[in-house]
Amino acid sequence: MRLLLVDDHRSFTDVLGLALGVEPDLEVVAVAHTTDDARAVLAAAELRCDVVVLDVRLPGGGLSLLPAVHDARARALVLTAHPRPGPARLAREAGAAGFLGKADPLRDIVSAVRTVAAGGTVFTDATGTAPHLTPRELEVLTGLAGGRDVTRIASGLGLSPHTVRDHVRAVLAKLDARSQLEAVVVAERLGLVAFDPEGEPESEPLADLRWR
């Protein structure tokens, strides 16, 4: 099975390439760090890739590479540092055969490559199960994800800071988080916070999320 690795993080492709290269039935025929380089590799008929392992967060959008993957009669296994339901759904809809977290064990990624090459699909359930949050707790969580402190959230919702702090404590408990930042990270993975197709927050970037 001939593989193309596409990721702008060279250290990650180095490690993954070594892990895949020692397998007797796998061969990394090329590594690309940009979508343009990957398209050039896919267009080179002599390389003939069976599986393309690509990062969803490539500059320009990793999923934008999928039409070229399909044109080359290859199959795509999409990797991400932050598995979430939204990007996983978009990858599946775009025709990817697999979606895994980069933090998954290397043996699982190797197994997924073989499954995808054999015509199967692998979509990780790393997002987990979301706990039930009340509508008000979701509003407070969205405010935290937008980089707002307790005072700004309280002003926006017409509540007192004391009440918002109570909601923050409830959110931390339900998400088993020790800080506001950790709560937002967990919420992202569970799909409780809305993101755009490339996985970036639709609101403001994360700001200072220390306890206030």
Side-chain angles (χ1 to χ4, degrees), residues 59-192:
L63 298 185
S64 70
L65 188 61
L66 291 184
V69 173
H70 300 151
D71 288 344
R73 300 183 181 276
R75 309 193 81 216
L77 173 62
V78 178
L79 300 182
T80 178
H82 306 289
R84 290 188 292 266
R89 174 180 54 80
L90 290 168
R92 187 190 293 269
E93 291 175 352
F99 187 93
L100 289 180
K102 287 185 175 181
D104 286 4
L106 279 174
R107 64 179 179 274
D108 290 350
I109 297 178
V110 172
S111 176
V113 168
R114 290 194 176 101
T115 298
V116 167
T121 59
V122 182
F123 284 83
T124 183
D125 188 30
T127 51
T129 302
H132 173 72
L133 300 182
T134 67
R136 185 64 81 188
E137 288 167 352
L138 283 172
E139 289 178 326
V140 170
L141 178 59
T142 299
L144 294 177
R148 300 176 183 86
D149 60 22
V150 166
T151 301
R152 291 178 62 194
I153 294 173
S155 176
L157 296 178
L159 302 173
S160 71
H162 177 76
T163 299
V164 171
R165 289 191 182 95
D166 286 342
H167 287 307
V168 169
R169 292 188 182 96
V171 168
L172 293 181
K174 289 183 178 181
L175 295 179
D176 193 24
R178 291 171 293 180
S179 68
Q180 294 179 24
L181 178 58
E182 184 179 358
V184 170
V185 170
V186 172
E188 292 175 15
R189 292 175 179 169
L190 294 174
L192 294 173

